[in-house]
Amino acid sequence: MLYKSILQNVLRILISSEKWGESMYQRIRDLREDKDLKQEDLAKLLNCTQACYSNYENGKRDVPAEVLETLASFYGVSVDYLMGRTNVKAPYPKK
């Protein structure tokens, strides 16, 4: 019984973390496509190669905090929105 409970909790965590990751990568892609931009355009903004940026969108490479901050500023959204932690696009007010 305890084993089944532990297994269910582990699966719940894995499923929720997968959804979180997919949401972040999908949002980064959707924002780019909404502005009719190419991966090359964002790669120039981020000073990386198109292949590197493609890996960010596809979840093959972790997105550094600096990149998330740059993308959030560029798109006028919060980092939490990019990460899928909120559905509110508006960035937080600056102090």
Side-chain angles (χ1 to χ4, degrees):
M1 190 66 154
L2 178 62
Y3 175 76
K4 183 178 179 182
S5 176
I6 292 171
L7 183 58
Q8 287 174 335
N9 286 335
V10 169
L11 287 174
R12 192 174 306 122
I13 291 168
L14 289 173
I15 290 169
S16 67
S17 65
E18 275 184 35
K19 288 179 183 176
W20 175 79
E22 289 173 357
S23 176
M24 179 177 71
Y25 306 124
Q26 188 62 48
R27 284 188 177 189
I28 291 171
R29 177 178 295 216
D30 289 345
L31 287 166
R32 176 182 59 80
E33 290 176 347
D34 288 348
K35 291 198 176 269
D36 294 322
L37 296 171
K38 297 179 182 176
Q39 289 182 343
E40 294 87 8
D41 300 324
L42 273 293
K44 287 179 187 175
L45 172 73
L46 301 172
N47 295 316
C48 67
T49 64
Q50 179 275 329
C52 173
Y53 183 79
S54 176
N55 287 335
Y56 291 153
E57 281 192 359
N58 293 318
K60 294 180 181 176
R61 183 174 180 159
D62 287 337
V63 183
E66 306 84 42
V67 170
L68 287 173
E69 289 175 9
T70 301
L71 291 173
S73 293
F74 179 75
Y75 291 123
V77 299
S78 68
V79 171
D80 281 346
Y81 175 78
L82 289 179
M83 294 176 67
R85 298 176 73 177
T86 180
N87 289 326
V88 178
K89 286 186 176 183
Y92 299 116
K94 293 187 179 191
K95 293 182 178 180

